[in-house]
Amino acid sequence: FYNPKLHKAAPKRELSAEDRIFVNNGGTPPPTEAPGGIANTGVTVFAQISSHRALDDSAVAPPPPPATWDAYAKKGQESSGVMAMMDMLVADLDKEMQEMDVEEKDSQAEYEAFMEDARTKRAQDSKSMADKESHKADLEGELQKAGVELKSTMKEDMSKAEEIRDLH
């Protein structure tokens, strides 16, 4: 982490006479040299020198490593758990595939029944439409006939009214 106590300010830089004139006339100062080394600290090498240790011929060999586990033995029962899990996954997948097949067959049967119902309803609707159209045509014919009868009745009534008016 950053420790402000360890911060070292950059040294003041003296510009040459030419650079000072250039900066005073609105130019930018020349770039500073980038610090080098590891993490911009100026340290270029970490050297670990083993020759500083006094190594003499009387050095004692290191002690043997501590005792750990037994020698390698093939695992029998532990690895069968993975195989059992794989078998269980395969069985689950087979079961899901079987369920999907049954669901697909049921859906297909429902679709066919729906299409058959739609076909019969369409036939009924077209028959009903034809019946209604014929009934409408009959009613329109009766309406025209009643209109003609009304006109003839009105003419007769008007002629009788004229006769009655002429009599008086």
Side-chain angles (χ1 to χ4, degrees):
F1 295 103
Y2 174 72
N3 188 351
K5 293 178 184 176
L6 298 178
H7 176 72
K8 292 181 184 175
K12 283 279 191 176
R13 214 172 110 195
E14 283 294 322
L15 295 177
S16 66
E18 294 170 354
D19 289 338
R20 205 174 315 122
I21 292 170
F22 183 70
V23 169
N24 288 337
N25 287 327
T28 58
T32 59
E33 291 185 30
I38 299 172
N40 295 329
T41 60
V43 177
T44 56
V45 175
F46 281 127
Q48 183 175 0
I49 303 172
S50 62
S51 65
H52 292 288
R53 279 192 278 166
L55 293 177
D56 44 309
D57 294 335
S58 64
V60 180
T68 57
W69 296 280
D70 296 334
Y72 176 74
K74 184 176 181 183
K75 295 182 180 180
Q77 187 66 19
E78 290 84 7
S79 66
S80 67
V82 173
M83 295 305 292
M85 186 183 291
M86 291 294 290
D87 291 342
M88 184 177 67
L89 288 174
V90 168
D92 286 347
L93 188 60
D94 288 341
K95 183 179 175 185
E96 287 178 12
M97 287 175 54
Q98 201 171 28
E99 288 175 359
M100 288 186 342
D101 288 341
V102 169
E103 186 176 328
E104 184 177 353
K105 287 178 185 176
D106 290 345
S107 297
Q108 182 66 30
E110 288 177 8
Y111 173 75
E112 289 173 0
F114 173 75
M115 292 306 289
E116 184 61 35
D117 291 345
R119 191 175 304 120
T120 56
K121 178 150 178 31
R122 216 174 18 252
Q124 288 174 352
D125 289 347
S126 63
K127 183 178 184 245
S128 171
M129 185 70 91
D131 290 346
K132 287 180 182 180
E133 286 178 356
S134 67
H135 184 66
K136 180 182 172 188
D138 291 343
L139 289 176
E140 285 177 352
E142 288 179 16
L143 180 65
Q144 285 180 352
K145 187 177 176 183
V148 169
E149 287 178 8
L150 178 65
K151 282 184 183 179
S152 65
T153 306
M154 290 287 276
K155 284 183 182 179
E156 287 177 14
D157 287 345
M158 284 178 61
S159 64
K160 284 198 181 196
E162 281 184 22
E163 279 180 32
I164 291 174
R165 187 190 61 180
D166 289 340
L167 287 176
H168 293 282

